[in-house]
Amino acid sequence: MGTKLIIDTDPGVDDAFAIALAALSTDVDLLGVTTVFGNVPLAATTINARRLLQLCDRPDVPVAAGASRPLVYPNPYSAEYVHGVDGLSGRSEALPEPARPLDERDAVSLLYSLLKAADEPVTIAPIGPLTNIALLLAAHPGVREKIGRIVIMGGALDHGNMTAAAEFNIWSDPEAARRVLVEEDVPVVLVPMDLTYRCAVDTAWLAELAASGPLGTMLESLTPDYLAHYRKALGWEGIVLHDAVAVAEAIRPGLLRTESFPIDVDCGLGPARGATLVDRRRRREPGTQPVRTIEIAVDTDVDALGKFVLARLSGGQ
Ligand code: BDR
Ligand code: CA
């Protein structure tokens, strides 16, 4: 029945597009959605995720709530200034109320149960802070063998968006990110903001989505605050679909071109906290030990990617 997928998310407008992309794709077996603090507090990300699945007519997909804060240091900053007061441009309550109750399990327990029961490799797409995923791998190391790939939206090679050095998801919980990206032994694809920015879509793309039908109209209606932010960040009328770019790769492996690099995460308390240090040197010091590498998405056919996401969100396959 296609790619088995679990999304870990903090909706968030681009998360909303990413969830809808997976939920509407008939070649994806969406096993579950877990939520984490991030763009807005956990209670808001959780109700947003549940309402979005209802919008996509997917009450079959369980949703479990996870971490409400980072692993080590509290983090008072969220991203209402990007996504609006409720994470969805103030439009969350316009979405349909979820028919399915919130799962009684916490996010790590749901992830563990779904992975344990899986009879083929599962892709996990974390598109928020990596707290739940670090906790899962720490508490249940045996599930590594059930994970096909972890396709993560996060990190920045050039400059950050939360600080000069750090991208929001990694900056929100650097210790968790370091556990997943540096210390674990699972296949990881990292989709950094350098590439997601290049995949920004314009208002003609949004208008086409809105014209595709009631679901497209509702998705487009979640974007005004997000568009207001990205109008300034991009310097033109458009939005960055960060998380949907990562989920596109999760459901269609190879859509993004990746290269293998060693990585580290700055967990210091200085100005570079949360930076991803990607070692792009082609030649390393002789005699140094080989280190773990992860796949980092560096390029794609930007036009084709935009068309792929638009077609899926508009009901095509
Ligand atoms: C990431 O941060 C959040 O604001 C978005 O949802 C995305 O996951 C982009 O840096
Ligand atoms: Ca997100």
Side-chain angles (χ1 to χ4, degrees):
M1 202 197 146
T3 310
K4 290 197 183 300
L5 179 69
I6 305 171
I7 296 179
D8 186 70
T9 179
D10 62 334
V13 176
D14 58 325
D15 302 74
F17 281 62
I19 291 168
L21 175 60
L24 298 172
S25 289
T26 53
D27 55 357
V28 173
D29 185 4
L30 185 58
L31 302 177
V33 169
T34 51
T35 59
V36 63
F37 76 94
N39 288 318
V40 283
L42 181 69
T45 63
T46 303
I47 189 63
N48 289 349
R50 294 174 61 217
R51 287 174 175 156
L52 287 160
L53 286 167
Q54 188 66 37
L55 173 72
C56 298
D57 196 21
R58 292 299 305 270
D60 56 303
V61 179
V63 177
S68 61
R69 54 155 286 172
L71 290 181
V72 180
Y73 296 102
N75 173 1
Y77 300 105
S78 42
E80 285 87 356
Y81 70 101
V82 179
H83 298 265
V85 63
D86 62 358
L88 297 175
S89 296
R91 297 272 301 159
S92 178
E93 286 182 1
L95 291 168
E97 281 310 307
R100 185 188 180 103
L102 180 64
D103 203 281
E104 283 178 2
R105 292 165 286 188
D106 59 85
V108 172
S109 302
L110 179 63
L111 281 157
Y112 175 65
S113 316
L114 293 172
L115 289 166
K116 199 158 170 256
D119 50 12
E120 55 186 87
V122 176
T123 300
I124 303 177
I127 52 176
L130 285 159
T131 321
N132 290 339
I133 308 305
L135 288 167
L136 171 75
L137 295 169
H140 303 288
V143 298
R144 282 196 215 101
E145 63 194 35
K146 296 294 191 100
I147 300 173
R149 301 194 298 166
I150 305 183
V151 183
I152 298 167
M153 192 281 131
L157 280 63
D158 181 11
H159 62 83
N161 55 1
M162 188 59 207
T163 68
E167 181 277 332
F168 180 79
N169 288 343
I170 306 299
W171 175 88
S172 294
D173 195 344
E175 283 76 20
R178 190 169 191 286
R179 176 78 192 228
V180 177
L181 296 174
V182 183
E183 294 295 330
E184 285 293 339
D185 186 20
V186 278
V188 164
V189 178
L190 186 70
V191 182
M193 58 174 275
D194 312 69
L195 182 58
T196 59
Y197 256 82
R198 286 176 46 209
C199 301
V201 295
D202 61 15
T203 44
W205 188 97
L206 285 169
E208 216 176 311
L209 175 64
S212 68
L215 200 146
T217 305
M218 183 56 93
L219 285 174
E220 190 274 339
S221 78
L222 305 177
T223 60
D225 291 356
Y226 197 64
L227 182 62
H229 172 80
Y230 277 104
R231 180 180 295 130
K232 288 180 259 165
L234 290 166
W236 50 274
E237 291 285 317
I239 61 169
V240 183
L241 295 174
H242 302 284
D243 295 340
V245 178
V247 167
E249 166 62 29
I251 67 181
R252 184 163 289 188
L255 200 60
L256 310 183
R257 186 170 72 74
T258 66
E259 285 182 35
S260 206
F261 295 109
I263 190 169
D264 211 330
V265 177
D266 190 322
C267 292
L269 298 177
R273 179 166 172 78
T276 41
L277 304 165
V278 175
D279 189 350
R280 283 172 283 178
R281 291 176 294 174
R282 289 290 165 205
R283 183 178 167 280
R284 298 194 184 85
E285 294 305 314
T288 52
Q289 293 296 314
V291 290
R292 182 194 183 202
T293 59
I294 63 166
E295 294 298 312
I296 299 192
V298 292
D299 200 9
T300 192
D301 179 336
V302 170
D303 196 43
L305 182 105
K307 288 193 170 112
F308 172 74
V309 176
L310 182 58
R312 292 276 170 118
L313 295 180
S314 307
Q317 293 299 319

